[in-house]
Amino acid sequence: MNQATGFLNKRIVPALTALSENTYMSAIRAGMVAVVPLTIIGGFFIIVSYFPVTGWDKIVAPYLQLLQVPVTATFGLLAVFVCFAIGYDLGK
């Protein structure tokens, strides 16, 4: 075992283990993970709305406002979803 690995195992790993076992940090982690599907859905609709192909903007133009609804619903309310998810996890 080299010196860097020994230092990490002796000094850094115990501190990070204690941090990861903290109830509040665990709830924050779970809350952030819970909203990943919403982020993926919003990202998918952004890709469809602004696909980088010549002429795509003309095809999508009539539907652009409709395509922006899921983006606004996911990214616009992401902080609210995270807060509820963290609160739910803390309440468990």
Side-chain angles (χ1 to χ4, degrees), residues 60-70:
V60 176
Y63 311 105
L64 193 58
Q65 279 190 328
L66 185 63
L67 288 170
Q68 290 300 316
V69 171

Side-chain angles (χ1 to χ4, degrees), residues 24 27-32 81-91:
Y24 301 106
I28 292 170
R29 181 180 61 233
M32 296 299 281
F81 293 144
V82 169
C83 288
F84 279 115
I86 291 170
Y88 174 77
D89 195 74
L90 274 174

Side-chain angles (χ1 to χ4, degrees), residues 18-65:
L19 190 64
S20 73
E21 292 173 354
N22 184 313
T23 304
Y24 301 106
M25 295 301 282
S26 174
I28 292 170
R29 181 180 61 233
M32 296 299 281
V33 168
V35 298
V36 167
L38 296 172
T39 308
I40 292 171
I41 291 169
F44 174 74
F45 279 97
I46 285 180
I47 290 171
V48 170
S49 298
Y50 301 104
F51 199 67
V53 173
T54 306
W56 183 257
D57 54 342
K58 291 175 183 63
I59 295 169
V60 176
Y63 311 105
L64 193 58
Q65 279 190 328

Side-chain angles (χ1 to χ4, degrees), residues 6-17:
F7 172 77
L8 287 174
N9 286 335
K10 186 183 242 185
R11 305 275 185 203
I12 305 296
V13 171
L16 292 178
T17 302

